[in-house]
Each structure stands twice: as C-alpha cells, then as structure tokens.
Amino acid sequence: MARQSKKTAGKKSPKRSTKKTATNNRPEVNLTPPKGGVAIRMYRIGHGDCFLLAFSGKEKPIFVLIDCGYKPGSPKFINDVTTPDKVVADIKAVTGGHIDVAVITHEHQDHVNAITKSRFDGFTIGQTWFAWTESEDDKLAKRLRKNYGDRLKTLVAASIRLAATNPSLALKMNEYIALAVGGEQPAGYGIPNAFSAAGSWTNKDAMKLFRDLSQSEVKCLYPHKEIIKLPGAESVRVFALGPPYDETALKDLDPHDGEGFPQQGRHMAASLASFGAAVNAAPGSVVAGPFSARHAVSIDKLSKELELQSWFDKNYGLKRTASNHFNPEQDEVPANADFRRIDHDWLQSAETLALAMGNDTNNASLVLAFELGKGGKVLLFAADAQRGNWASWADGSFKDGNETVEVRDLLSRTVLYKTGHHGSHNATLSGDASSATPNLSWLGRGDHSSEFTAMITAVRAWATQPTVGWDHPLKSIREALLDKCSGRVFQTDTDFTKMVPLDGTSKRPWAAFQKRSTGGALYFDYHIEPG
C-alpha cells in the first residue's frame, strides 16, 4: 500500500456542485488562436494522446501536433462517432495538410499508432521533434534502444509460453507488449507475430514516417540545453524539461515517501536478465526456469534414473492424480501435492516485468513547456513522465542571454497541464510549493491559479476492465486536479456538458473558462489569451 503524506492523508475529496452548467457545444471547424495566444484541440481519440495546438503566427496559425495514438478498443467506450480516421481527417482539414512542428513524446502505441501512411498521405511536416533517446548518434540512446529491443523479445517469448498454460494472464500481459510493439489490433491478436512479421505496422514505423515527412532535420531534444523559438511564432518559447540524460533517473519510476497520491496498491519490480535467460531456454532444459542449474534437475535426467524418477513421482507430484490436489481441510499434506512443483507458474512474473518495461519507456517521455512570450503563461505537456523524469526537471535551469530561467518559476506560470500518463499513480507527484522535487503544487501559482486547467487523456471504463487493469485516472489525482482547477478538468471520456464548477468557485473565472471552451464528440477546444 502506498504511503500517504500528512497533507493528503484523510483529506476529503473536493465537493462538487450538482448544478448543471450551460456550455457552448458547437466546436469550431477551424482552430483560430487569439492574437498572441494559443488554441488547443484535445482529440477524444480514445485512451491515448493526440493534441493539435494552434499558436498565433505572423501570417497564419502555427500548428504543433503532439502525438497521435490510442489503445485499440477504447474509442467505443466514449461514443459511436470518434475514430482515428476522423481525427486525422480533421487535423488535415484544419492545417491544410501542413504541420509546422510534429512532436512524438515516446515510443508507445497509445501515442503513435494512429500515424499511418494512408492517414497521413498528402501531409507535410516542417520539423519533427523527438527526445534525445531517439538520436541516431548518441551512444547512450543507442544502448538504451538495444536493451529495450532485447527485453521486448524476451517478453514476447514469455507470452507465447504463457498462452499454453495461462491464456488469461498472457492476454493481459499482451496489453503491455502491445504498447511497445504498436499496431491497431486488440490486445492478444497476433502480438508475437506483429513483432516479427515483415510488413507489420509498428510504433517504429510510425516514428519513421514522421522522420521521413520532416522537411528539415529532425530535432532530438535534450533537457535544459536551450530555449527553442517556435518556427513562425517566435514569441513562443519552448523548454525541454525531460527526459533526464541519466540512466538512474530514468529507472526511478515510483514516487518516494510523501510524493505519491493515495492508491490501492503498488507494483513490484523483478529482474529481467535472469528471467530472460529462462524464457529463451529450451523447454525442459535445466535453465528453463527461475533458478540456476545447480538447483535444478532436468526431466531428461529423471527419465534415465528410475530410482530418482520414483522419488520425484512420490514427492513432487509428477504424476497427476486426484490425490495430488491439496485440500487445506485435510489433516496432512500429501507428499506429492502438486503445489510442490512450480512448473510454469514462475512465468507469471512476466506481467510485472512487462509493466516495468512500459514504465521505463514512459519515464523517457519528452516533456515540453510552451511559454507564450517571455515571462508569460506556460503550457506543460508532461506526456507519460514518471517520478525520475519529474524530479530531474529542477536539476538545471535555462540560459536566456545574460539571464537565467529557473524551472520553479517557469512551472509556477503554468495555466494548462496535460496530465501525465492518463492520471496514473506515478505520473503526477504530490507535495507542496516548498518541496525540492517538482510536484503539482509547483504548477499554476499566484495570479495563474485562477486560470489553471488540466487535461486527462483517459477512458476509465476501458482502462479498468479486468483484462487491462489500469487505474486511470487515479481517483485521488483526479480529485486533486478538480480541487486545484476549481472543476476545470477536461477528460477524454467525459462529455463537455458534464463539466461543472466546484462549490464556492467564483462565477467570473468559471464564466471566462466557458467562454474559452467548446466541446463535442470528436474533440475539446480550449483558448488561452497571452499575458
């Protein structure tokens, strides 16, 4: 069970008004930003991220696309209207087929799998941005990608073996494998084949497509290195906060004491190296298990030594009979109870390992802060950044000529927070404004608190299915966001008309929020003025 900080322990969920609020439910055909500001289109693509940002430019809006992906099966839990085809068609209609900057935050299915050749046929891209982890020249990046590929092969092999002994667990584990592999088929549909078959469309293919469409050299961004001017909208400045250029930080996945929001459980870690050796060994071999050879006896050896075979039959349940199965109400445990042999049970740790691998990739997310003019409002797109990524944001600052931009000040001016990893337990940190580690309290402070708004890319009914098992969004995080935002929280699966202010919220800020917002079946639009 995760520990609660003194601040969050026993805190009641914020009380919300039951009064329905009228809203403008007529989404724009065009996405026109206010002068000096930005219009954000949050696509209701499913359980995944797809954002189109329109910044005020000198002659036309400057369009930035951040990710374009979803978990297969999740759109049907929202409505009967939204499809990836319609989302990309809308992007083309709004941009005229030209995206000024395309950003892919990390290599996960729910961020890139809607990017296909057929959908993006006829598009052009001015620049494509990745995290430094996708650099083709960086030695650390190349090593991390190799390790990632090796681990993925191990997990696919485990999935194949699990399918014969525990199909339901194999199907659940394939949800995690699908994140890494990509594609648009439901979990469990040819996952191992999709990884190896020629011609299969994968996450890597989607990322390569955006590389190929880029009209200028692809940018792989490093944290705290430079302040980037957005092409065509040079008053907008972009700060890359993560991922950290530090392996230890990348492996730091879960909140430390006092940093987590209350949750129902914790995930365990496991060693993938020894597991991989066992998974990839030949079935029946001494190493085809979780222990070293000196602690194991091969089945082949048993068959050649009759006395040893008899002893194992008697004590380790090699011969399955009704008497093997242990009844806890019996006075004695049978000598040959089947629980004495683990057989394939050890493979069940593959699910935990698959989850850990997915979290590693999430923690390597590209995190960007968009500033509307020097010293102005900030939009924070945290992708799926987890604890180590968050903590690293404060490890450096940004040189601005003779001045320095401190991350604490930058984050305090945040007026829009794209909630990390669908609101999961380790992708938004708790704490207070004085904490050394960046957390939710660092965001939207002072005059910016009355405008602070959050967006959660989650479809809870899909995520909480038994075959998926993700607590997205975590209730305590959602409630903390509703409290901090006074109700201004967009969520993919929640109709715009159901957004209501919290009791005690000033009518003026809520009315201003409504004026800046529209919503419909395909997307939500939100406008932010400069200042």
Side-chain angles (χ1 to χ4, degrees):
M1 181 72 73
R3 295 185 182 179
Q4 298 184 23
S5 67
K6 292 181 180 180
K7 183 175 180 179
T8 59
K11 183 177 179 180
K12 294 183 179 180
S13 298
K15 184 179 179 182
R16 278 175 278 172
S17 168
T18 58
K19 181 180 179 181
K20 297 291 182 181
T21 307
T23 57
N24 180 354
N25 199 32
R26 295 173 296 173
E28 300 178 18
V29 175
N30 296 315
L31 192 62
T32 305
K35 186 175 180 180
V38 62
I40 302 105
R41 180 158 289 181
M42 173 185 176
Y43 286 101
R44 304 179 71 186
I45 194 169
H47 198 83
D49 283 20
C50 186
F51 294 88
L52 183 63
L53 281 58
F55 291 94
S56 176
K58 292 180 180 179
E59 300 178 357
K60 70 173 191 67
I62 301 302
F63 294 107
V64 176
L65 178 67
I66 303 178
D67 291 335
C68 191
Y70 69 104
K71 284 299 297 181
S74 62
K76 69 180 182 180
F77 285 84
I78 310 171
N79 56 54
D80 296 326
V81 176
T82 303
T83 66
D85 287 346
K86 289 182 179 179
V87 165
V88 178
D90 186 79
I91 293 170
K92 191 170 189 177
V94 171
T95 63
H98 180 73
I99 299 167
D100 295 282
V101 176
V103 179
I104 293 182
T105 60
H106 62 297
E107 187 182 333
H108 261 177
Q109 177 189 40
D110 56 334
H111 291 255
V112 302
N113 70 338
I115 301 171
T116 64
K117 285 184 178 179
S118 59
R119 292 193 184 113
F120 280 86
D121 182 45
F123 274 83
T124 56
I125 296 175
Q127 292 184 6
T128 297
W129 295 357
F130 295 114
W132 63 266
T133 49
E134 297 303 320
S135 170
E136 297 177 341
D137 301 317
D138 190 289
K139 290 183 179 180
L140 175 58
K142 288 193 285 188
R143 179 160 57 82
L144 291 174
R145 290 198 300 274
K146 181 182 183 303
N147 292 342
Y148 181 79
D150 290 345
R151 288 186 293 171
L152 182 56
K153 291 176 183 177
T154 295
L155 290 171
V156 169
S159 172
I160 295 171
R161 293 183 63 178
L162 264 177
T165 59
N166 193 334
S168 61
L169 182 58
L171 181 63
K172 187 175 181 181
M173 192 177 80
N174 280 343
E175 282 289 353
Y176 303 121
I177 294 177
L179 276 173
V181 175
E184 297 184 85
Q185 296 291 352
Y189 179 90
I191 293 298
N193 292 334
F195 178 72
S196 59
S200 298
W201 191 257
T202 66
N203 293 340
K204 291 186 182 299
D205 293 319
M207 297 171 79
K208 183 179 184 301
L209 178 61
F210 270 23
R211 281 183 183 271
D212 294 343
L213 289 177
S214 185
Q215 295 175 331
S216 60
E217 185 177 357
V218 170
K219 286 182 175 289
C220 294
L221 306 183
Y222 290 77
H224 308 108
K225 187 174 182 180
E226 61 178 326
I227 300 175
I228 304 166
K229 290 186 176 181
L230 189 65
E234 295 191 352
S235 62
V236 178
R237 309 197 303 175
V238 187
F239 300 77
L241 299 176
Y245 195 77
D246 182 319
E247 282 192 82
T248 300
L250 288 172
K251 294 176 181 177
D252 187 3
L253 303 176
D254 287 317
H256 295 187
D257 288 347
E259 295 176 349
F261 288 87
Q263 57 171 318
Q264 294 300 313
R266 296 182 68 104
H267 298 296
M268 297 188 302
S271 171
L272 188 58
S274 58
F275 178 86
V279 165
N280 293 306
S285 68
V286 172
V287 295
F291 308 116
S292 64
R294 69 178 185 275
H295 298 308
V297 178
S298 71
I299 299 298
D300 290 341
K301 185 175 182 180
L302 290 179
S303 65
K304 296 174 183 178
E305 299 187 24
L306 296 180
E307 185 176 348
L308 188 60
Q309 175 77 60
S310 177
W311 185 84
F312 266 87
D313 287 350
K314 180 180 178 180
N315 294 284
Y316 282 88
L318 283 179
K319 289 186 176 180
R320 301 299 184 185
T321 66
S323 64
N324 287 116
H325 301 291
F326 172 54
N327 182 347
E329 296 181 0
Q330 291 180 199
D331 293 333
E332 296 183 6
V333 178
N336 65 341
D338 54 9
F339 71 76
R340 293 184 186 277
R341 298 182 67 239
I342 61 173
D343 289 335
H344 300 287
D345 294 350
W346 61 277
L347 280 168
Q348 296 182 20
S349 62
E351 181 193 6
T352 300
L353 294 167
L355 176 63
M357 189 180 78
N359 283 335
D360 286 348
T361 306
N362 287 332
N363 212 20
S365 289
L366 177 61
V367 177
L368 298 176
F370 295 84
E371 182 189 52
L372 302 181
K374 185 174 181 178
K377 297 175 182 177
V378 170
L379 324 176
L380 177 63
F381 281 80
D384 288 354
Q386 302 186 346
R387 197 276 168 185
N389 199 322
W390 273 75
S392 73
W393 299 348
D395 289 346
S397 55
F398 293 84
K399 290 295 182 184
D400 186 13
N402 295 325
E403 301 176 0
T404 300
V405 178
E406 299 293 344
V407 172
R408 187 185 290 269
D409 171 65
L410 185 72
L411 294 181
S412 74
R413 293 184 269 120
T414 302
V415 295
L416 179 74
Y417 169 45
K418 200 297 291 188
T419 306
H421 195 223
H422 321 291
S424 75
H425 77 285
N426 56 357
T428 298
L429 298 187
S430 181
D432 55 47
S434 64
S435 299
T437 302
N439 62 78
L440 184 58
S441 293
W442 278 35
L443 312 182
R445 299 192 58 77
D447 293 339
H448 302 289
S449 62
S450 62
E451 192 177 342
F452 186 75
T453 301
M455 292 179 167
I456 306 175
T457 56
V459 181
R460 184 163 180 78
W462 174 84
T464 55
Q465 295 177 98
T467 54
V468 180
W470 295 340
D471 193 5
H472 293 169
L474 187 69
K475 182 180 179 182
S476 56
I477 288 179
R478 175 175 163 79
E479 295 293 346
L481 288 170
L482 285 167
D483 187 23
K484 185 175 179 67
C485 298
S486 299
R488 297 183 297 271
V489 177
F490 294 91
Q491 187 167 310
T492 305
D493 60 2
T494 304
D495 289 341
F496 187 80
T497 55
K498 294 181 180 178
M499 294 177 64
V500 296
L502 299 184
D503 285 339
T505 299
S506 169
K507 292 182 179 179
R508 183 174 298 175
W510 186 258
F513 167 73
Q514 285 185 288
K515 188 177 180 181
R516 297 192 300 268
S517 310
T518 55
L522 192 62
Y523 51 74
F524 302 129
D525 282 354
Y526 183 59
H527 295 71
I528 298 176
E529 301 279 350

